[in-house]
């Protein structure tokens, strides 16, 4: 009898965007930055923690480049490949671009996993890229102690369509396009405590492409965008606040979450990244009085292939949110606003 291969999540010390370095460590690593003025065509680099690099080729075309990879947060190899690919493509969409091709990044423990599982991971990534209308045109693979998969993605857009995380304006409204809870669900998966319905809810969200970003970038009422991933909603909102030199105010009751996320968080299902995130940026976040710790864990929960956080003209926000819902993002909601003040995030009831 052939022995069954180990669960993918059992081979990884972390999973999904919960593998990301804590924001405080990343800031330390990027403390020495290249002077942007040395490269005049580099429109977006590392200066504001944006989602991808943007290089202007000429008056009509910019190239967007990004890479994203991580360890599995689900056991199904095909689903792992799909989630990782959708997550990597999201960076291009969040900048307002359209992906044109991808390269695969693969690291696998060859002594622990059969090649069929690796083929399923790669197939999942190819299928998501096919949905996006692009090829996986190559890549690189290594023998690694833990399973790793992701993509390097190239995209394009017009210079006028570039949307940064640092262009929010006082008076703007904030829209979130997907519900929170991916990290909490993945923690439950590790302990085999997530229901089949919960798993399908998570897969539906994490494999849903953020392609709406490339459409929103053409709307002059949309000022800033970023995708919510490993630093959680609070962390990526704080990056927007700091880059824009504004205060972001979020209504706790308006934040969409997965159907089982609150109950699982109350039971103690959370990732280590959630607590690392809070330790990294808590000094710049004000929570409303009486917020329980489990609810805070939801707001710092690392999202893998999470939604877009959008800053737009307040008068257009309701109609824009409805357009996003109709476009296939049923959880999209207006969750807050941008105000003048110190670069920080406040959570109100």
């Amino acid at each position: 009898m052939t022995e069954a291969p180990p669960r993918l999540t059992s081979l990884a010390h972390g999973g999904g965007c919960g593998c990301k370095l804590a924001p405080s460590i990343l800031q330390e690593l990027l403390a020495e930055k290249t002077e942007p003025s040395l490269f005049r065509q580099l429109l977006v680099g590392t200066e504001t923690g944006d989602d991808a690099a943007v290089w202007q080729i000429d008056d009509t075309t910019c190239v967007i480049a990004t890479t994203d990879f991580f360890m599995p947060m689900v056991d199904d190899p095909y689903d792992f490949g799909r989630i990782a690919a959708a997550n990597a493509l999201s960076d291009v969409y969040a900048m307002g671009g359209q992906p044109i091709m991808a390269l695969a990044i693969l690291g696998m423990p060859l002594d622990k996993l059969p090649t069929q599982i690796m083929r399923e991971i790669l197939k999942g990534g190819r299928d998501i890229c096919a949905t996006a209308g692009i090829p996986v045109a190559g890549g690189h693979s290594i023998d690694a102690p833990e399973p790793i998969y992701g993509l390097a993605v190239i995209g394009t857009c017009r210079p006028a369509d570039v949307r940064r995380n640092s262009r929010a304006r006082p008076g703007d409204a904030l829209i979130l396009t997907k519900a929170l809870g991916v990290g909490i669900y993945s923690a439950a998966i590790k302990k085999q405590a997530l229901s089949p319905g919960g798993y399908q809810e998570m897969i539906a969200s994490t494999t849903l492409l953020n392609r709406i970003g490339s459409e929103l970038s053409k709307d002059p009422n949309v000022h800033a965008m970023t995708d919510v991933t490993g630093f959680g909603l609070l962390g990526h909102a704080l990056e927007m606040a700091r880059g824009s030199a504004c205060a972001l105010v979020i209504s706790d009751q308006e934040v969409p979450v997965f159907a089982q996320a609150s109950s699982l968080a109350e039971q103690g299902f959370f990732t280590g990244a959630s607590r690392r995130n809070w330790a990294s940026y808590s000094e710049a976040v004000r929570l409303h009085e009486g917020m329980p710790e489990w609810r805070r864990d939801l707001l710092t929960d690392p999202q893998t292939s999470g939604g877009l956080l959008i800053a737009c003209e307040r008068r257009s926000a309701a109609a824009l949110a409805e357009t996003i819902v109709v476009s296939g993002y049923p959880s999209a909601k207006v969750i807050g606003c941008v105000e003048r003040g110190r670069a920080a995030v406040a959570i109100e009831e």
Side-chain angles (χ1 to χ4, degrees):
M1 182 178 293
T2 304
E3 185 177 349
R7 295 174 61 202
L8 278 178
T9 54
S10 73
L11 299 175
H13 74 277
C17 286
C19 299
K20 289 179 71 169
L21 295 177
S24 56
I25 296 176
L26 191 59
Q27 285 180 351
E28 186 176 338
L29 291 176
L30 296 177
E32 295 184 16
K33 299 177 181 178
T34 303
E35 180 59 45
S37 62
L38 295 178
F39 304 95
R40 294 183 179 179
Q41 290 167 285
L42 182 63
L43 300 187
V44 183
T46 61
E47 57 277 3
T48 58
D50 244 310
D51 299 300
V54 181
W55 184 273
Q56 184 169 354
I57 294 178
D58 53 37
D59 291 342
T60 61
T61 307
C62 291
V63 169
I64 303 172
T66 185
T67 183
D68 213 313
F69 54 89
F70 45 64
M71 292 167 283
M73 29 82 85
V74 296
D75 291 313
D76 185 287
Y78 180 71
D79 286 345
F80 172 40
R82 291 198 295 157
I83 293 167
N87 181 77
L89 291 167
S90 180
D91 288 339
V92 172
Y93 292 129
M95 299 302 301
Q98 179 66 42
I100 58 173
M101 71 172 180
L103 304 173
I105 301 165
L106 181 71
M108 288 290 143
L110 299 178
D111 59 334
K112 298 175 183 175
L113 291 175
T115 56
Q116 179 58 33
I117 286 182
M118 303 177 208
R119 290 176 62 186
E120 283 295 301
I121 293 170
L122 293 172
K123 183 178 186 299
R126 286 197 308 272
D127 284 356
I128 283 293
C129 286
T131 300
I134 67 168
V136 178
H140 186 64
S141 58
I142 62 169
D143 185 1
E146 295 180 289
I148 297 169
Y149 176 68
L151 300 175
V153 186
I154 302 298
T156 61
C157 73
R158 299 185 310 155
D161 293 344
V162 174
R163 288 298 183 271
R164 305 190 58 170
N165 68 357
S166 56
R167 297 293 185 265
R169 306 173 186 176
D172 279 354
L174 297 171
I175 297 172
L176 182 63
T177 64
K178 290 185 183 181
L180 305 182
V182 178
I184 287 167
Y185 274 31
S186 66
I189 287 172
K190 276 232 173 188
K191 297 182 179 179
Q192 297 181 299
L194 185 64
S195 70
Y199 182 79
Q200 291 305 315
E201 179 186 24
M202 186 185 77
I203 295 300
S205 179
T206 54
T207 59
L208 176 62
L209 293 175
N210 279 326
R211 63 201 326 165
I212 189 68
S214 62
E215 299 301 321
L216 295 174
S217 70
K218 298 173 177 61
D219 188 337
N221 292 311
V222 174
H223 302 147
M225 286 195 296
T226 190
D227 61 349
V228 177
T229 55
F231 299 158
L233 175 61
L234 293 184
H236 292 285
L238 183 58
E239 285 186 330
M240 183 177 284
R242 285 172 170 166
S244 305
C246 295
L248 267 61
V249 179
I250 294 172
S251 173
D252 189 22
Q253 295 181 0
E254 297 302 322
V255 176
V257 300
F258 286 166
Q260 301 174 35
S262 295
S263 61
L264 287 169
E266 285 190 88
Q267 295 172 55
F269 289 97
F270 60 88
T271 68
S274 181
R275 299 292 170 89
R276 291 195 300 273
N277 283 342
W278 180 247
S280 293
Y281 51 64
S282 59
E283 80 288 344
V285 177
R286 177 175 59 81
L287 305 178
H288 64 78
E289 187 176 352
M291 176 182 283
E293 192 171 84
W294 66 262
R295 182 66 185 183
R296 189 195 72 193
D297 288 339
L298 260 172
L299 299 179
T300 60
D301 186 51
Q303 303 305 290
T304 303
S305 191
L308 299 177
L309 179 64
I310 302 157
C312 65
E313 289 281 355
R314 187 190 298 267
R315 66 177 183 273
S316 304
L320 192 60
E322 181 58 30
T323 297
I324 296 169
V325 169
V326 171
S327 299
Y329 304 82
S331 298
K333 290 185 70 178
V334 178
I335 64 165
C337 63
V338 182
E339 297 181 350
R340 298 187 186 278
R342 181 177 69 91
V345 176
I347 306 299
E348 298 182 343
E349 287 190 85

